[in-house]
Amino acid sequence: MNISIFGLGYVGCVSLGCLAKNGHNVIGVDVNQNKVDLINQGKPTIIEKDIDVIIAEQFQRGVISATTKAAEAITKTEISIIAVGTPSTPQGHLNLKYIFKVAEDIGKAIKNKNDFHIVVLRSTVLPGTCDKVATILEMASGKKRNEGFAVVDNPEFLREGSAVQDYYNPPLTLIGSDNKKAAERVADLYRELPGEIIVTDLKIAELMKYVNNTFHALKISFANEVGNVCSALDIDSHQVMDIFCKDKQLNISNYYFKPGFAYGGSCLPKDLKGFQTLAHDHYVKTPIVDSIGLTNENQIERAIEMIQRFPNKKLGFLGLSFKAGTDDLRNSPAVRVVEALLGKGAAISIYDKNINLTMLTGTNKDYIDARIPHLSKLLVTDLNELVSSSEVLIVNTNEVEFVKLLRNVTDKTIIDFVRIDDTLLERENYIGINWSIEKLNKENYVSNEDTVLK
Ligand SMILES: NC(=O)c1ccc[n+]([C@@H]2O[C@H](COP(=O)([O-])OP(=O)(O)OC[C@H]3O[C@@H](n4cnc5c(N)ncnc54)[C@H](O)[C@@H]3O)[C@@H](O)[C@H]2O)c1
């Protein structure tokens, strides 16, 4: 394919060399004449392992060149990759002026082109940026999005220092687009690379890099906090984290990675507190560990606030324990939610097949007696009875029996903490604790007494 790359920095230079090596004709565009001259002499614009050889070889083959003139590059190519910088502003926002300038340059250049043009954002940008780029392209070109051109997001995951190695070994290739054909064309650029090619929504692709890098920063900082506690105790932190990483079921795995409700139960809150106290007693600061409980509290408050958006409605809780398949009510976040709502005068019924009050003993019984002493009056033993007597159903545990039931209940508002069943997502009267939430913000959705989701 004939490709133009705007921005010949780390990302642009590596993409230029590697795409050419994989059989494409590539023209680089940069406002910096010095970088353009380097490419036109067969030299890289950056210091990076192996890129000098790749650029020299591809230059010899006559498949790479560079220019400062956007129009010249656009005329000769069918895909343009934007890889200009997106630095932070002093206020911490993303400075998109380079992206928008390139979008304008490309827009003006495609005005006089008959062929369909694909614009790919390789730079790291926040959700919504591709839409803004499309608007600029429409204004500058006079063409319509998805008629004269398409915008695709294709975030770069390489790391400086191992950029070429990373280019050829991506964990995955991510393509966000609202145009299937354009997405397929961009996917064709990467077919020979290992790793899955994932085509998804534009905004998901735009957000991914931020989620990844935030998690990477969290990993480093978590390991450092554990390390600092270990060294205070004269324990080898590397041995600890090596063993930690060997657990591929709960630690290094998909487990515990689904957004939803707060954690609870008898172990996580207790052991988190234990670790915090240990650090504190040894004068070790652990701000990340300390903030975990705050995030959990925030999730409980979020749930309470969501339910309060439906004032004076009869509430039916599906599940009360901290997870499905147990009667353990200790530190169940749902108990906290019910307790808070009862305090505000809410009418509540609860169904949880695992809870038999006469069987509750020990700390489990003490916990519930202290928080909801009249729980027996709220418990309902028949699930259908709970549904018919409630106006808003709150799904707290992932029990199989709830799925079947909820698929057939279409006239009740459902607030879901556990993402019980994806087939419910599109319903107007369904909201998840951190998905499908936009419905809650629609003006006509939540207002007064009579507001029911229909
Ligand atoms: N460097 C990395 O390791 C890395 C990794 C993944 C993603 N990214 C992201 O990729 C993007 C590019 O990063 P980088 O490190 O390659 O940036 P960079 O600063 O090294 O290069 C950007 C280039 O864009 C050029 N440029 C600016 N305005 C231009 C215009 N109007 N027309 C043409 N060229 C123009 C600049 O002269 C410069 O050569 C950023 O969004 C960055 O966050 C970077």
Side-chain angles (χ1 to χ4, degrees), residues 344-356:
K344 292 172 196 301
I348 294 179
S349 306
I350 300 165
Y351 171 87
D352 192 323
K353 68 172 183 198
N354 297 308
I355 297 173
N356 179 344

Side-chain angles (χ1 to χ4, degrees), residues 214-394:
T214 303
F215 181 56
H216 299 164
L218 175 67
K219 279 176 88 171
I220 292 168
S221 301
F222 173 75
N224 285 341
E225 287 191 3
V226 171
N228 294 348
V229 172
C230 286
S231 65
L233 297 165
D234 201 17
I235 292 171
D236 184 351
S237 55
H238 278 234
Q239 275 197 48
V240 169
M241 289 312 287
D242 282 347
I243 295 169
F244 172 87
C245 290
K246 281 188 200 293
D247 178 347
K248 303 282 193 288
Q249 286 181 29
L250 300 184
N251 294 351
I252 311 299
S253 71
N254 295 348
Y255 211 78
Y256 296 131
F257 261 134
K258 288 280 165 78
F261 198 26
Y263 60 75
S266 63
C267 291
L268 296 192
K270 172 176 77 72
D271 296 345
L272 175 67
K273 227 177 241 168
F275 188 78
Q276 265 178 285
T277 310
L278 183 68
H280 182 261
D281 288 351
H282 287 81
Y283 305 101
V284 179
K285 288 185 188 151
T286 52
I288 286 185
V289 172
D290 295 347
S291 65
I292 296 171
L294 299 177
T295 297
N296 213 46
E297 283 301 308
N298 182 52
Q299 207 63 354
I300 294 171
E301 278 167 29
R302 182 184 171 94
I304 295 167
E305 281 166 18
M306 271 178 83
I307 299 167
Q308 283 183 304
R309 302 280 283 267
F310 301 90
N312 307 319
K313 299 291 171 202
K314 289 181 189 145
L315 308 175
F317 276 74
L318 280 74
L320 183 66
S321 54
F322 84 100
K323 64 177 177 183
T326 173
D327 69 345
D328 197 350
L329 296 169
R330 287 170 299 173
N331 288 311
S332 169
V335 170
R336 295 269 311 280
V337 173
V338 169
E339 186 187 7
L341 292 169
L342 286 172
K344 292 172 196 301
I348 294 179
S349 306
I350 300 165
Y351 171 87
D352 192 323
K353 68 172 183 198
N354 297 308
I355 297 173
N356 179 344
L357 287 181
T358 55
M359 304 284 282
L360 284 187
T361 53
T363 50
N364 200 3
K365 183 170 172 7
D366 295 345
Y367 184 84
I368 205 66
D369 283 349
R371 274 158 189 86
I372 315 176
H374 61 299
L375 178 61
S376 60
K377 295 204 177 75
L378 310 181
L379 281 174
V380 173
T381 48
D382 182 342
L383 183 52
N384 290 312
E385 185 194 322
L386 177 107
V387 171
S388 56
S389 66
S390 304
E391 292 163 287
V392 177
L393 298 172
I394 297 124

